[in-house]
Amino acid sequence: MTTLVNQQIVLASRPTGEATLDNFRLVESSVDPDALAEGQVLVRNHYLSLDPYMRGRMNEGKSYAQPQPLGEVMIGGTVGEVIASRNPRFAVGDRVVGMGGWQQYQLVEAHQREVLRKVDTTHVPLTAYLGAVGMPGVTAWVGLHTIVEPKAGETVVVSAASGAVGGVVGQLAKAKGCRAVGIAGGPEKCAFVTDELGFDACVDYKAHRDLKSLAQALKAACPDGIDGCFENVGGLVLDAVMLRMNAFGRIALCGMISGYDGQPIPMANPALILVSRLKLQGFIVSEHMPLWPAALGELGAMVAAGRLKYRESIAQGLASAPEAFLGLLKGRNFGKQLVKLT
């Protein structure tokens, strides 16, 4: 096998305010499949996952994870195929999921344990391991089960409901006998949330631009109030949800994409946390690794049986990743945002 050209996208500069295409740079390196050291594995990445958390890591400030280093390959989940191996745990042809980053090839060292996980694509498509049966799906499962803790008959509201995480949350809530109400941007996304994912209702936040209007729309969709909320957006959306929360409601704070441009996100009425005795808890799914096997098992079984639906937006080629990522932050994607690398 000849030496391969590995296209990579690195972080060229840190954003000030909104991220731009100038913050990224496309570079090339080389990799020789015939020169692997003992224990190494070479993976040809087929798909790259783009996720909102990446924007936070582009900053240098304090966060739950170390900042993305300048000049290094952007972090990101990938699925692909082993094309060369000197590791007894992996064979050529194995389909694997890992954190291969924004690049075409991933070289895994012998000491990097648990970096790659073999997956079975017999009943679950390869791309699903970056979405419904991957980190987004596990995020939905963990936040819903450990923080929202829904009970049959309760109402659960999910923001960014047409996205990779939100869509799974609502379907899991429905499976537990809850009323699932989504919040999404635009009539097409809301129709997908109700007609395809099976939510009971969906509120179009683009049709309700102020707090009063959005709160009234939520009141109509949630006549018995809101018992649980899975929050991905923050800002105005969270303010409106809090106005409708029942006493002792639970809010799983997964993301605040409304503030990924680096600006502070004020809360309109934080006193409601006390008045309604709410539980509002942030969580990071990577801190709940003991729960991943149970979550992946349930999610995989649901996808294989056709009981868990999802949608994907797929950009073509590594060079399209920065623009697709910026679109994700603006809500231009529909479902899970992926980049096809092969």
Side-chain angles (χ1 to χ4, degrees), residues 78-303:
T78 52
V79 289
E81 180 179 354
V82 174
I83 62 170
S85 176
R86 294 193 63 190
N87 188 315
R89 295 185 295 119
F90 296 95
V92 172
D94 283 347
R95 299 300 181 95
V96 292
V97 59
M99 294 295 288
W102 294 28
Q103 59 182 342
Q104 293 174 308
Y105 297 95
Q106 176 189 12
L107 182 63
V108 179
E109 302 289 345
H111 66 273
Q112 294 178 293
R113 294 283 180 174
E114 310 305 326
V115 168
L116 290 181
R117 177 170 59 90
K118 284 190 281 191
V119 294
D120 184 354
T121 57
T122 305
H123 302 292
V124 177
L126 184 63
T127 56
Y129 288 104
L130 291 177
V133 195
M135 182 273 292
V138 177
T139 299
W141 193 97
V142 168
L144 188 72
H145 284 80
T146 67
I147 300 173
V148 178
E149 299 180 301
K151 304 175 185 63
E154 292 188 328
T155 295
V156 175
V157 166
V158 186
S159 62
S162 67
V165 175
V168 175
V169 174
Q171 293 177 83
L172 292 176
K174 285 294 296 178
K176 289 187 170 295
C178 296
R179 176 177 176 80
V181 175
I183 302 174
E188 184 184 5
K189 288 185 177 181
C190 281
F192 169 72
V193 168
T194 54
D195 299 347
E196 297 295 326
L197 302 185
F199 283 56
D200 296 283
C202 187
V203 174
D204 179 2
Y205 72 82
K206 291 186 176 180
H208 305 281
R209 296 288 188 174
D210 60 84
L211 180 58
K212 181 178 180 181
S213 176
L214 187 55
Q216 287 177 338
L218 278 171
K219 182 178 181 179
C222 308
D224 296 323
I226 301 170
D227 302 293
C229 170
F230 195 103
E231 186 54 57
N232 293 303
V233 177
L236 177 68
V237 170
L238 179 57
D239 289 335
V241 166
M242 287 178 61
L243 288 171
R244 298 299 308 151
M245 291 293 295
N246 292 328
F248 303 103
R250 295 86 61 197
I251 302 173
L253 190 57
C254 174
M256 303 188 81
I257 201 169
S258 64
Y260 281 143
D261 60 358
Q263 298 300 313
I265 310 172
M267 183 177 286
N269 196 348
L272 287 170
I273 299 174
L274 174 61
V275 172
S276 298
R277 286 86 78 206
L278 303 179
K279 178 175 80 170
L280 192 160
Q281 182 177 336
F283 75 102
I284 307 301
V285 71
S286 59
E287 297 176 346
H288 298 269
M289 295 309 294
L291 299 178
W292 280 59
L296 289 171
E298 181 177 341
L299 295 165
M302 291 178 70
V303 167

Side-chain angles (χ1 to χ4, degrees), residues 9-11 14 54 56-59 65-76:
I9 291 180
V10 302
L11 181 63
R14 300 200 186 280
M54 296 170 176
R57 296 198 65 175
M58 292 171 71
N59 296 335
Q66 290 296 315
Q68 165 74 42
L70 285 172
E72 294 191 13
V73 176
M74 286 285 295
I75 190 172

